[in-house]
Amino acid sequence: MSSSKLAIRQDMPPKGGYAPIHWKRYAPKRTIPGYFFFSAWVGGSIYCWSKMALMRFEHRINDHHEFFIRKSLYPFIWAEEDRRMVRARKQHEEDLALIGAGTDWDPHRRTLAQEEVWTAWSPREMRVLLTDEERVALGGSPSRYSVNDLYQNYMWQIDCHEDEAKAWLDKPTRMVGLNDRELGPDGSDYQK
């Protein structure tokens, strides 16, 4: 039998045609839209920049006020520092008098500055030499001042700093004229 005589059945569309194809994509919105994030970023930036501008303005005004407050307080601060220096110098002289009792040591003698005019005290001339126990043991009385009243909380009173400065000045190539301060006109030592 030849193939031309076989019954051929061909699929045909249904009566009335096929239903319309839903070709349009439908994706429901499941996240926050991008324009919301963008608007939130813009709004937050404006808010933060405005607050920072106000904060910088306030700091500028506060710095301005602090400058004038400190400027008006400088005389009182300097006067208090002078009082503490005088107290420390008095305590130093009292300690020297207790240490050098029975000798010809003069506690009022300046050994670090021998100019004819008065010069500021050096840190070594304001250093407390004795404790209260040592003062009582030597026949003196305890100190009338606290530690803060005697300039003892300052780093520039440490011996090594002054020794380093003195060693620098003692170099023959450094400030030759300053090495003759502690010597008399004839070259003798004032401490003798």
Side-chain angles (χ1 to χ4, degrees):
M1 186 187 325
S2 63
S3 60
S4 60
K5 294 182 178 181
L6 293 176
I8 297 174
R9 183 178 177 181
Q10 184 177 0
D11 289 336
M12 299 298 291
K15 292 180 179 181
Y18 292 104
I21 300 174
H22 297 284
W23 55 271
K24 186 176 181 180
R25 181 173 177 268
Y26 173 73
K29 294 182 180 180
R30 302 180 184 274
T31 58
I32 302 176
Y35 62 83
F36 175 81
F37 285 107
F38 179 75
S39 59
W41 175 73
V42 171
S45 299
I46 294 174
Y47 174 78
C48 292
W49 279 102
S50 61
K51 292 294 287 186
M52 187 175 67
L54 291 175
M55 184 175 63
R56 291 181 71 251
F57 175 75
E58 183 179 356
H59 286 182
R60 191 159 61 247
I61 296 299
N62 290 341
D63 292 343
H64 188 73
H65 291 174
E66 183 183 359
F67 169 77
F68 284 99
I69 291 173
R70 290 173 61 88
K71 184 178 178 181
S72 61
L73 286 178
Y74 275 153
F76 301 95
I77 296 174
W78 294 336
E80 185 60 29
E81 288 185 356
D82 293 341
R83 292 190 192 98
R84 296 172 69 183
M85 291 172 62
V86 171
R87 293 178 192 136
R89 178 59 182 171
K90 287 183 178 179
Q91 188 63 58
H92 181 85
E93 293 179 356
E94 292 176 5
D95 293 348
L96 284 179
L98 290 175
I99 295 173
T103 63
D104 57 349
W105 179 267
D106 183 11
H108 301 281
R109 176 172 48 196
R110 301 287 297 276
T111 58
L112 296 177
Q114 298 294 342
E115 290 84 354
E116 295 182 359
V117 297
W118 186 89
T119 56
W121 291 309
S122 69
R124 186 164 291 175
E125 290 179 291
M126 294 186 293
R127 188 167 296 115
V128 177
L129 303 176
L130 302 174
T131 62
D132 287 341
E133 292 78 8
E134 293 171 341
R135 293 189 190 96
V136 174
L138 291 174
S141 58
S143 176
R144 298 171 296 173
Y145 311 112
S146 64
V147 174
N148 290 330
D149 290 336
L150 296 174
Y151 258 9
Q152 295 305 297
N153 54 348
Y154 279 75
M155 288 298 296
W156 48 259
Q157 284 200 306
I158 300 178
D159 285 331
C160 63
H161 301 322
E162 188 172 301
D163 294 339
E164 290 175 0
K166 191 67 168 61
W168 185 80
L169 285 175
D170 285 341
K171 293 181 181 179
T173 58
R174 304 280 187 177
M175 310 250 186
V176 181
L178 295 179
N179 291 335
D180 299 331
R181 279 183 161 192
E182 299 181 7
L183 302 179
D186 55 350
S188 61
D189 191 351
Y190 270 18
Q191 300 186 24
K192 293 181 180 180

